[in-house]
Amino acid sequence: LSPQPRSGSCVRSFKRRCPVLNIGDKAPAFAAEDQYGKTIRLADLKGKTVVLYFYPKDLTPGCTIEARAFEKGLAAIKKKGAVVLGVSKDGVASHKKFADKHGLSFSLLADEDLGLIKAYGAWGERSLYGRKFMGTLRITYVIGPKGTVRAAFPKVKPAEHAAEVLAAI
């Protein structure tokens, strides 16, 4: 998969897989607590590349695979001057448990009120075992040092995703 092009090839009728943000868009500002209770703000990361990935739920199989893949590739991502931030609607305590269990050294942001998730178009219809429901979608954005979206990944395969993000940085 390649990053979402700005040309608008994203079909808006399939909102559940279509990012709200396109390449070149200004990334919405945010402030959220990580697993250590530290507030992380996009404004504080100005000048750095930010990998902001959204995932459905801590301690679930797909989310664990994705998080561990990011952790495995973290040194290479940092070498390119980027930081990784994971976001889900789980709370700080859940994120701490998840990070501790799997040795995750990057920040997991708690977004229990869904403000950040919705601002980045990562909330929509999901399906699990034939049941449809609203939830957090797997979407990743690479935000450049000046605060604009450099890449958007509206379809994510957890095991392969960290490598494709690294290639886009």
Side-chain angles (χ1 to χ4, degrees), residues 5 10-12 36 47 50-51 55 57 62 75 79 81 85 87 89 98-99 103 112 117 139 154 159 163 167:
C10 183
V11 180
R12 291 286 172 201
Y36 304 108
V50 177
V51 175
Y55 66 97
K57 189 157 181 54
K79 200 172 193 176
L85 303 173
V87 182
K89 65 183 181 113
F98 185 37
E112 294 177 279
I117 291 168
I139 294 176

Side-chain angles (χ1 to χ4, degrees), residues 29-51:
F30 64 80
E33 274 188 77
D34 73 3
Q35 68 267 36
Y36 304 108
K38 179 182 177 189
T39 299
I40 306 293
R41 292 176 181 79
L42 182 59
D44 295 339
L45 299 170
K46 191 172 183 170
K48 293 187 178 205
T49 298
V50 177
V51 175

Side-chain angles (χ1 to χ4, degrees), residues 7 14 17-18 24 47 51 76 78 80 89 96 98 102 104-105 112 118 137 154-155 162-163:
S7 66
F14 296 109
R17 289 292 178 202
C18 187
V51 175
K78 284 182 176 181
K80 289 191 169 192
K89 65 183 181 113
K96 176 114 174 65
F98 185 37
H102 295 289
L104 306 177
S105 60
E112 294 177 279
K118 288 181 178 179
L137 305 173
K155 289 188 178 184

Side-chain angles (χ1 to χ4, degrees), residues 51-70:
V51 175
L52 188 65
Y53 85 94
F54 295 87
Y55 66 97
K57 189 157 181 54
D58 291 340
L59 298 165
T60 57
C63 297
T64 298
I65 289 167
E66 185 176 19
R68 292 180 72 179
F70 272 117

Side-chain angles (χ1 to χ4, degrees), residues 63-169:
C63 297
T64 298
I65 289 167
E66 185 176 19
R68 292 180 72 179
F70 272 117
E71 184 63 35
K72 185 177 177 183
L74 194 58
I77 291 170
K78 284 182 176 181
K79 200 172 193 176
K80 289 191 169 192
V83 297
V84 173
L85 303 173
V87 182
S88 83
K89 65 183 181 113
D90 295 311
V92 171
S94 177
H95 284 341
K96 176 114 174 65
K97 187 176 180 181
F98 185 37
D100 288 349
K101 182 172 182 175
H102 295 289
L104 306 177
S105 60
F106 55 87
S107 290
L108 300 174
L109 305 181
D111 188 27
E112 294 177 279
D113 70 359
L114 306 176
L116 175 55
I117 291 168
K118 288 181 178 179
Y120 279 81
W123 184 256
E125 186 178 273
R126 297 187 55 219
S127 179
L128 185 64
Y129 304 116
R131 184 176 68 89
K132 293 184 186 268
F133 59 96
M134 296 301 286
T136 305
L137 305 173
R138 284 188 203 283
I139 294 176
T140 299
Y141 294 98
V142 176
I143 303 166
K146 293 182 180 177
T148 59
V149 175
R150 286 186 21 197
F153 299 88
K155 289 188 178 184
V156 172
K157 291 185 179 178
E160 304 159 12
H161 187 52
E164 88 182 326
V165 167
L166 180 61
I169 297 175

